[in-house]
Amino acid sequence: MKLVVHEFPSVDGVMQGPGGIDEDRSNGFDRGGWIVPFAADADQGAIVNSWFDRVDTFLLGRTTYDMMYMYWSQVTDPDNVVATALNNLPKFVVSSTQPDPQWNNATVLTGDLEDAVSDLKARDGDELQVHGSWRLARSLHEAGLVDEYRLLIFPV
């Protein structure tokens, strides 16, 4: 599988939970929801949906996993491409503090990160996707494991 990293950074480099005001207040961040005025259109939706059409497996950091689980596990519309993929496909969580993930098909990755991700990439399939998870994305980048980056940069 090809490892693809997806990020929604702002022009000034913010990579923080963009969806809602209270989604990600870490480090005193008080500008949650910044992406909504720029992303709520059909073109952006089609782009993101096309990413989820290619995914076979997700690789997430614990913080992103927790945020995504809280929202997406509640979305049950079978026509929602993102929810269907996230709720049904395998998810691997990189964490030393998440002993028992509750989301369907979620597993905590253990052992050496580079070895574990190399094993995932060796599996059959189209894409192993990382969404958000900036610390994980940085580690994967530094290890030379990322095959492609998909960035939607927002003018804020």
Side-chain angles (χ1 to χ4, degrees):
M1 276 190 280
K2 176 169 64 170
L3 177 60
V4 181
V5 171
H6 300 88
E7 300 292 351
F8 294 166
S10 69
V11 142
D12 62 350
V14 172
M15 288 178 28
Q16 195 137 359
I21 192 75
D22 291 319
E23 181 181 39
D24 182 359
R25 290 194 174 266
S26 59
N27 299 315
F29 187 70
D30 64 357
R31 299 185 189 270
W34 57 268
I35 199 173
V36 175
F38 302 100
D41 68 29
D43 291 336
Q44 194 270 345
I47 290 167
V48 172
N49 284 349
S50 75
W51 296 346
F52 283 86
D53 287 338
R54 300 177 192 149
V55 65
D56 289 295
T57 303
F58 294 98
L59 178 62
L60 303 169
R62 188 204 40 85
T63 301
T64 299
Y65 168 87
D66 287 345
M67 283 189 284
M68 290 180 121
Y69 171 68
M70 287 174 45
Y71 179 80
W72 289 106
S73 65
Q74 305 303 310
V75 179
T76 58
D77 178 358
D79 293 329
N80 187 308
V81 174
V82 175
T84 299
L86 284 167
N87 287 321
N88 294 297
L89 293 175
K91 291 163 282 299
F92 290 88
V93 185
V94 177
S95 175
S96 61
T97 61
Q98 180 88 39
D100 185 24
Q102 301 300 308
W103 210 352
N104 182 44
N105 288 327
T107 305
V108 174
L109 266 186
T110 58
D112 181 77
L113 177 64
E114 290 182 38
D115 290 343
V117 172
S118 293
D119 289 346
L120 290 173
K121 288 180 65 169
R123 293 180 177 189
D124 289 334
D126 192 11
E127 291 185 0
L128 170 62
Q129 293 185 358
V130 175
H131 292 263
S133 309
W134 71 267
R135 285 184 286 278
L136 172 60
R138 181 190 304 175
S139 295
L140 296 169
H141 171 80
E142 290 171 355
L145 292 169
V146 179
D147 298 303
E148 184 174 330
Y149 297 89
R150 293 188 185 128
L151 309 175
L152 289 181
I153 301 172
F154 290 86
V156 291

